[in-house]
Amino acid sequence: MSDSSEYTPPKVWTWEQPSGGQFANINRPISGATQEKDLPVGKHPLQLYSLATPNGVKVTVMLEELLELGHKGAEYDAWLVRINEGDQFTSGFVGANPNSKIPALMDHSTGTPTRVFESGAILVYLAEKFGAFLPKDPAARTETMNWLFWQMGSAPYVGGGFGHFYAYAPEKFQYPIDRFTMETKRQLDVLDKTLAERPFIAGNDYSIADMAIFPWYGGLVLGRLYDAAEFLAVDDYKHVKAWAEKIDARPAVDRGRRVNRVWGEEAEQVPERHDASDLDLKPAAEAAAE
């Protein structure tokens, strides 16, 4: 079925009006800072600037998993970046990530602070820094990297494709929703067939591949993304769902999901994390009274 109106692209595209939709106020065809503002720096060597979107959750889960293993050097400050308000376009954030996307990490334990951007790069950086969640065996390491890069290349079809046209676009059109629903379900099927044969994404051990894939695809099958579980018939992907429930039950994953979160149950929101005690759950009545 075709859309109700047909669009003929001009010979040269020009930016004439907002694109519409939930994030129209921050979408633009140019890069760089719009305001001068330094990034805050806390007491820990690792400084994270993020929001609890799926890409942000990957990194806070990794940091919480490292801390649970006893890596004290993984202590971190997590600063809230409100992307809907344009915090990612400050000069300080652009210095940490010229692409103006969360998450961004600054490691102050190095002689000169090291910037790390792109969630997959941050996961690899932390895995190598602390020697955890990335196998040393070449074959197992390669399989883990295969799936990490699969996620980085595939998730834009889920978020920028399916999620945008199904949940955020100002108008609903069948063609893009069908196109990206088909691809999202194909990707879920890839994962389901893989997880039918192994307990974790890359093999027998929990790794950064699971941490990268869980916030996106686990979020879908657990009904946390785009209110689309029924639409996508997620119960059809029983192996993905069982894996997602297993990952979701990990204490470090629960903590990581709440860091830089400013929506949902108020007691589970941790807008910023500067100490482990910031993640202590508060009774709902107490949280509501603050």
Side-chain angles (χ1 to χ4, degrees), residues 151-186:
Q151 186 278 315
M152 297 295 291
S154 297
Y157 290 98
V158 176
F162 173 75
H164 174 76
F165 287 106
Y166 181 78
Y168 300 139
E171 298 178 79
K172 298 289 189 291
F173 293 113
Q174 183 175 350
Y175 174 75
I177 291 175
D178 281 354
R179 169 67 180 88
F180 290 110
T181 298
M182 184 183 306
E183 175 60 14
T184 297
K185 288 180 71 67
R186 187 194 69 81

Side-chain angles (χ1 to χ4, degrees), residues 24-39:
N25 64 317
I26 61 170
N27 290 333
R28 56 188 187 141
I30 55 175
S31 64
T34 60
Q35 56 179 304
E36 291 293 321
K37 185 177 181 181
D38 293 335
L39 288 176

Side-chain angles (χ1 to χ4, degrees), residues 49-106:
Y49 306 92
S50 192
L51 183 68
T53 65
N55 286 333
V57 167
K58 297 175 195 176
V59 178
T60 48
V61 164
M62 174 63 162
L63 288 165
E64 292 296 327
E65 291 281 12
L66 288 168
L67 290 170
E68 187 145 308
L69 280 183
H71 293 285
K72 295 181 179 179
E75 272 292 352
Y76 67 104
D77 290 273
W79 302 91
L80 179 64
V81 178
R82 295 183 183 271
I83 60 174
N84 59 324
E85 297 179 11
D87 291 350
Q88 69 274 36
F89 299 120
T90 65
S91 57
F93 192 90
V94 171
N97 183 358
N99 197 40
S100 292
K101 304 289 184 182
I102 61 96
L105 179 74
M106 296 295 296

